[in-house]
Amino acid sequence: MGGGGREHALAWKLAQSPRCAALWASPGNPGIAAVIAELNAQRDHAGGHGACIALDLADHAAVLGFCGAQEIGLIVVGPEAPLVDGLADSLRAGGFAVFGPSSAAAQLEGSKGFTKDLCARAGIPTADFVKASDAAAARQALAGFGLPVVIKADGLAAGKGVIIAESSAQAEAAIDDMFGGGFGSAGAAVVIEEFMEGEEASFFALTDGATIMPFGSAQDHKRVGDGDTGPNTGGMGAYSPASVFTPTLEAETLTRIIAPTVKALADAGTPYTGVLFAGLMLTSEGPKLIEYNCRFGDPECQVLMMRLESDLVEILLACAQDRLGAIVPPVFSPDPALTVVIAAKGYPGPPAKGGLIEGIAEAEADGARVFQAGTTLSAGGVLSASGGRILNVSASGETVRDARDKAYAAIGAVRYADGFWRHDIADRELKRT
Ligand code: AMP
Ligand code: GLY
């Protein structure tokens, strides 16, 4: 379920499994369609033919009907919105194996206040906070914080609902904007937070509600411009692993953050199943939780999939069937992977639409991989841009520098006049090594 670069990477990896007889994607995208076409050609005599199909993911009965008719053996939900909306609940109630949390457990991403309350209850390290459900209370709470101060819309806001205010005036303006409807229903409540200092890292763990299986680390580049300038985006590039996230920090994160979260949700009768994506701040007091996401990161997933050597179907199916404890842990290549997002000019504001894209085959000629994030293919076979983030040019290498050189060389082969990208993905990592 889904149709971005994350889902292209997942589809690419799922299709490599000998257990994948047929693959369907909804809505999918032209890159996913190519993965499916290749699989269909290989599996000519096995279980049927997949395709990209346009299901309305909000129409649970229609999705159930489709999955029943095709005897789908594993459903992987990519994006957060259908999870928060309860798609996994409906499908599980229909007897299907689903990778992704229930609506109740997806509140970890669906409501920042929910997660902060859970952290407070379970003693999980995170920024000090106050929740407010009207502007007056929010303004009043500001007095308890220094500057900068962080103002967050409670609900889903596509990564754009966080304002780091450098002055009280800016903080008050953000509060007024959120309660004034600037973030839709996501801003009906806000969380005000202490500003944490440190380096950020993304950590992924699979869980079936009982077993916890670490699933790699990455570092994202959230700002649109080189040198971390300009507005926040969904992510402009990533690399994995994040060497700053050492085995010691990983162990500490598992014990102090991930395990208490999984336990708290199980104790509440809403066990979490799927991937827990922890956004962490590595502070001088140890790792602290910035936020949870209830699905893989985009573009972090792309670099995890570039490194994963294990059978993804086996792992996600075991997670969906509550038997993670019975399978061998995933194997990731020690070789780093890196991805650079090509976005359409204007992103994260309104992006240039419809620009022609050529040169993907040339870009992939030397081992790089181009995941498609926002593309459409015309009946005549012309690929064009449709979205903000368009392509994820990805490569692995013996070192981060190799991976980066390969990815940027591949970008040189892509012809897409409306595109722009950051030129400094993994700079921080290179300075370290
Ligand atoms: P979020 O959507 O919660 O991940 O926030 C988006 C970005 O805002 C994070 O990746 C951080 O860079 C920044 N951020 C969020 N909360 C804080 C905080 N309490 N202190 C410092 N930076 C934060
Ligand atoms: N790249 C950050 C996210 O997927 O939320």
Side-chain angles (χ1 to χ4, degrees):
M1 307 287 178
R6 166 183 50 211
E7 288 77 24
H8 186 180
L10 289 170
W12 170 68
K13 207 68 209 175
L14 289 169
Q16 289 171 20
S17 168
R19 304 184 61 174
C20 183
L23 180 63
W24 298 85
S26 178
N29 69 31
I32 296 172
V35 167
I36 293 174
E38 200 176 315
L39 181 72
N40 286 343
Q42 286 166 14
R43 301 274 197 276
D44 220 9
H45 306 291
H49 279 62
C52 291
I53 35 142
L55 293 170
D56 175 3
L57 299 189
D59 183 349
H60 296 185
V63 178
L64 274 164
F66 174 83
C67 293
Q70 297 300 336
E71 299 180 54
I72 301 294
L74 170 66
I75 300 160
V76 180
V77 184
E80 62 277 14
L83 291 167
V84 172
D85 182 43
L87 182 60
D89 305 68
S90 299
L91 291 168
R92 235 174 251 126
F96 293 98
V98 186
F99 178 78
S102 66
S103 173
Q107 284 303 301
L108 276 188
E109 177 164 4
S111 165
K112 294 190 190 289
F114 173 91
T115 299
K116 297 300 280 191
D117 284 341
L118 184 146
C119 287
R121 267 199 328 274
I124 294 169
T126 188
D128 286 340
F129 71 101
V130 170
K131 293 193 304 178
S133 51
D134 62 68
R139 279 165 168 267
Q140 206 171 8
L142 281 180
F145 293 88
L147 289 170
V149 62
V150 185
I151 320 282
K152 298 185 175 182
D154 184 72
L156 290 184
K160 291 165 195 156
V162 174
I163 307 289
I164 297 174
E166 305 284 346
S167 67
S168 308
Q170 233 179 358
E172 287 176 7
I175 287 169
D176 291 345
D177 188 25
M178 285 182 191
F179 286 109
F183 293 84
S185 58
V190 306
V191 173
I192 299 171
E193 275 185 21
E194 157 207 21
F195 179 80
M196 297 186 287
E197 287 197 58
E199 189 161 342
E200 284 181 55
S202 302
F203 177 58
F204 299 86
L206 306 186
T207 180
D208 52 16
T211 300
I212 293 169
M213 182 179 271
F215 205 70
S217 68
Q219 219 164 21
D220 190 8
H221 296 64
K222 290 205 165 116
R223 303 295 197 96
V224 76
D226 287 352
D228 293 328
T229 53
N232 263 330
T233 68
M236 293 297 291
Y239 62 91
S240 171
S243 70
V244 65
F245 192 66
T246 60
T248 310
L249 290 177
E250 176 173 320
E252 195 179 336
T253 301
L254 283 165
T255 339
R256 297 192 60 202
I257 300 179
I258 307 289
T261 302
V262 169
K263 182 174 184 310
L265 287 172
D267 289 349
T270 55
Y272 191 97
T273 146
V275 59
L276 265 178
F277 162 6
L280 301 169
M281 190 70 85
L282 308 179
T283 75
S284 55
E285 297 162 12
K288 292 191 182 181
L289 183 71
I290 301 173
E291 63 156 6
Y292 272 128
N293 295 304
C294 65
R295 35 79 195 174
F296 283 112
D298 187 349
E300 291 93 326
C301 184
Q302 288 81 319
V303 285
L304 291 179
M305 292 305 120
M306 292 288 289
R307 292 184 52 225
L308 182 68
E309 290 175 347
S310 308
D311 181 332
L312 185 64
V313 171
E314 186 172 311
I315 296 170
L316 301 191
L317 190 61
C319 187
Q321 295 174 336
D322 298 343
R323 44 179 188 79
L324 263 190
I327 65 166
V328 292
V331 177
F332 287 95
S333 165
D335 287 355
L338 179 143
T339 189
V340 183
V341 172
I342 302 185
K345 279 176 190 156
Y347 179 77
K353 279 191 192 131
L356 221 64
I357 301 166
E358 291 175 311
I360 290 185
E362 293 95 309
E364 291 187 326
D366 286 327
R369 192 154 291 283
V370 180
F371 295 115
Q372 298 188 29
T375 59
T376 50
L377 193 62
S378 74
V382 175
L383 191 68
S384 60
S386 62
R389 293 186 292 174
I390 308 301
L391 301 172
N392 313 138
V393 183
S394 315
S396 304
E398 273 177 36
T399 63
V400 178
R401 186 172 294 281
D402 287 345
R404 169 159 129 149
D405 289 348
K406 270 198 213 165
Y408 281 107
I411 282 188
V414 174
R415 295 185 297 282
Y416 167 48
D418 287 340
F420 76 93
W421 55 89
R422 277 183 62 161
H423 304 85
D424 61 348
I425 302 305
D427 259 6
R428 216 186 257 130
E429 186 77 358
L430 290 178
K431 281 185 193 126
R432 249 196 293 277
T433 47

